Amino acid sequence: MKVSFTRKLLLLSILVWLPLEAAWAQLYLTPQVRPRAEWRNGYQSLPNGQDGAFFVSQRSRLTLDYKQDKVQMRFSLQDVRVWGNEVHLKDVPSTAMHEAWGEVALSDKFAVRLGRQEFVYNNDRLLGNVDWVQQARSHDGMVLKARWRGISLDAGGAFNQEKEALFDTHYSMNNYKVLGFLWAKKQLGEQLSLSAMHISDGFQRPDTVGGVYFRHTYGLDLNYKHERVQFNGSLYRQSGEHGSGKKIAAYLAVGEATYTLQPFQFTLGTTYLSGMAGHEHKVRSFNTLYATNHKYYGFMDYFINVPADTRQGGLHDNYLKTTFSPSASYNLSLDYHYFALAKNLRASETHAGTSNRYLGSELDAVLQYKHSDQIQFSIGYSSMFAGSSMAAIKPGDASAYADWGWVMVNFQPRILLKSFEKE
């Protein structure tokens, strides 16, 4: 629920000036102002003959971090808006709580975190905070953490309800009703690490009061790094029950190699998300769950919601990424993506079918400049060169030139408010 920014700012101010015990403790305040100007002419969907769009969006976030002995807490408030989307002299509350959690260490090996928090694992491939989006993503839940003998183990979950009810637990909002995950990582020497994850999410059945259909996603991530070379591989399977009532049988496979030769870094990789060709008895299109797809499947976000953005046809993404970092202040990247359907699509009443799986190629260029630890500048430009089959999954003209440009400034100082040491 959104409440006034003034009220929440007053709450944070009170917390800042509360006296701390004469023990080891730290209190940090991290304000963030992140305006971003965007030009959109084919972003997320093909151009359709209309003029391109231009606007400025802004995230204004205030984060308070507290840590003392075995206790950690975070409060993060944010206001997200497009410049000019409110009438002058109107009091329109628009601030939301992005994070509000507390964590306590039960011992030197175990801890528990409760409250509104981000779930970020395995480089955001299935669970991520989607930080590029100004709103970002967080969950209301809990995480149990264990660390011992080089093994990291997290077990987390959430149970969503839309109100404090007297009876029944029917959930009508367009979110998962139940989420549970188990993540384990083991460092196998200095060069090799292996992680395993299982995610189960349940959704309210629309035709019953208490019924829930569950989807299960599980797999492995392997990472190897030796001097200039790094290899990453992932393999995940998806099963359970789809909202249509069909059983799920889908998979995700990733293979990637990175070579670093300062100041350059080259990454060559492929990602395959299975799809379905027609009216099959099982759902074979892989769903990327709560991932940060912006960082994986092209910055123009044509495939931000897989499998919906492919009409269940799956996706095959071959990519080459190059990064040039001449200093700690400058970073220039150029990414190329070759997109194809995993399966050809049949024609429907509203969409054409495909006989060629090739969807298009995308180029993404980004220049980043770090002025200081408090201020960073970024500018990006992307182009989508769509194939004829792209029109079968995206409305618009596949032959038209599609581009997207943006400029962003990130003001984000980290301020130490109080620090005490044990006497």
Side-chain angles (χ1 to χ4, degrees):
M1 179 180 296
K2 295 186 176 182
V3 299
S4 70
F5 183 75
T6 304
R7 188 181 305 171
K8 289 187 175 181
L9 183 61
L10 178 61
L11 173 62
L12 282 179
S13 300
I14 294 173
L15 289 171
V16 167
W17 295 110
L18 283 176
L20 300 178
E21 298 178 9
W24 180 87
Q26 288 182 326
L27 192 63
Y28 281 95
L29 185 67
T30 308
Q32 182 188 37
V33 174
R34 196 177 80 169
R36 182 169 67 226
E38 294 187 45
W39 156 261
R40 293 181 174 181
N41 179 45
Y43 172 82
Q44 285 194 353
S45 192
L46 296 171
N48 57 7
Q50 294 181 307
D51 294 335
F54 179 79
F55 60 90
V56 181
S57 64
Q58 179 174 319
R59 173 202 289 174
S60 305
R61 182 181 287 181
L62 194 60
T63 302
L64 183 70
D65 286 297
Y66 168 76
K67 186 173 183 179
Q68 180 179 359
D69 294 332
K70 297 182 178 181
V71 176
Q72 298 183 58
M73 299 181 71
R74 171 173 289 180
F75 296 90
S76 183
L77 311 176
Q78 68 180 22
D79 173 84
V80 176
R81 63 182 61 239
V82 173
W83 286 7
N85 69 347
E86 291 184 4
V87 179
H88 289 185
L89 303 181
K90 292 289 186 180
D91 184 15
V92 181
S94 58
T95 303
M97 184 70 76
H98 177 62
E99 289 187 277
W101 53 260
E103 177 176 323
V104 57
L106 305 176
S107 69
D108 60 345
K109 298 182 178 65
F110 300 97
V112 58
R113 178 179 294 184
L114 298 166
R116 190 165 184 81
Q117 58 190 287
E118 297 178 345
F119 292 158
V120 181
Y121 291 91
N122 290 349
N123 204 24
D124 305 80
R125 189 168 291 279
L126 294 176
L127 286 177
N129 60 358
V130 200
D131 191 62
W132 167 260
V133 177
Q134 299 285 38
Q135 293 87 347
R137 176 189 283 133
S138 54
H139 305 257
D140 300 308
M142 66 177 294
V143 179
L144 300 174
K145 303 179 179 182
R147 304 288 186 269
W148 81 100
R149 295 184 179 179
I151 298 176
S152 299
L153 181 65
D154 285 7
F159 183 83
N160 287 340
Q161 288 300 114
E162 56 198 281
K163 62 182 179 181
E164 295 182 3
L166 297 179
F167 301 98
D168 194 19
T169 61
H170 190 84
Y171 186 64
S172 60
M173 296 184 67
N174 190 27
N175 296 322
Y176 60 78
K177 181 176 181 177
V178 183
L179 174 70
F181 66 87
L182 181 64
W183 170 82
K185 183 176 181 180
K186 172 66 175 178
Q187 194 69 35
L188 305 173
E190 297 181 358
Q191 301 171 349
L192 186 65
S193 66
L194 178 67
S195 65
M197 173 167 279
H198 182 109
I199 304 170
S200 291
D201 49 346
F203 296 83
Q204 186 74 62
R205 292 182 181 273
D207 56 343
T208 61
V209 175
V212 177
Y213 60 85
F214 281 94
R215 175 176 56 195
H216 309 289
T217 307
Y218 40 92
L220 299 172
D221 286 86
L222 184 68
N223 294 276
Y224 173 81
K225 187 174 183 180
H226 178 65
E227 297 179 349
R228 298 177 179 178
V229 179
Q230 181 174 342
F231 296 97
N232 302 301
S234 301
L235 184 61
Y236 282 86
R237 188 176 186 274
Q238 207 160 64
S239 61
E241 189 178 5
H242 189 261
S244 63
K246 296 180 179 180
K247 297 297 183 180
I248 301 173
Y251 66 93
L252 161 70
V254 180
E256 183 179 276
T258 299
Y259 180 75
T260 302
L261 182 63
Q262 293 294 347
F264 293 96
Q265 186 177 80
F266 306 94
T267 298
L268 180 65
T270 184
T271 300
Y272 187 88
L273 297 95
S274 64
M276 52 195 300
H279 301 290
E280 302 183 33
H281 296 297
K282 293 184 177 182
V283 173
R284 302 189 184 277
S285 52
F286 189 91
N287 192 300
T288 56
L289 303 182
Y290 314 102
T292 303
N293 285 341
H294 177 81
K295 69 188 294 184
Y296 287 112
Y297 309 115
F299 293 163
M300 292 184 72
D301 291 344
Y302 271 60
F303 309 103
I304 201 70
N305 183 13
V306 182
D309 284 336
T310 63
R311 279 181 54 201
Q312 314 295 320
L315 182 66
H316 191 189
D317 175 21
N318 297 310
Y319 53 89
L320 173 63
K321 300 181 179 182
T322 304
T323 303
F324 175 60
S325 304
S327 69
S329 299
Y330 290 93
N331 182 285
L332 175 64
S333 65
L334 180 63
D335 299 350
Y336 168 76
H337 291 266
Y338 178 99
F339 295 118
L341 289 167
K343 298 286 186 179
N344 273 318
L345 302 174
R346 295 181 180 178
S348 67
E349 295 181 358
T350 56
H351 295 87
T354 62
S355 58
N356 184 357
R357 296 183 185 180
Y358 174 67
L359 292 173
S361 297
E362 181 176 332
L363 284 175
D364 301 317
V366 177
L367 175 63
Q368 296 177 313
Y369 169 60
K370 183 178 180 181
H371 178 269
S372 65
D373 290 337
Q374 299 182 352
I375 306 174
Q376 297 86 38
F377 300 88
S378 304
I379 182 171
Y381 183 77
S382 299
S383 298
M384 171 63 76
F385 305 94
S388 59
S389 294
M390 185 71 82
I393 62 173
K394 298 288 182 178
D397 183 4
S399 63
Y401 182 69
D403 66 335
W404 169 60
W406 55 273
V407 179
M408 185 169 71
V409 184
N410 186 33
F411 301 91
Q412 195 172 8
R414 183 168 170 84
I415 306 166
L416 177 62
L417 297 176
K418 287 191 176 184
S419 180
F420 291 89
E421 300 293 337
K422 290 183 178 180
E423 297 180 349

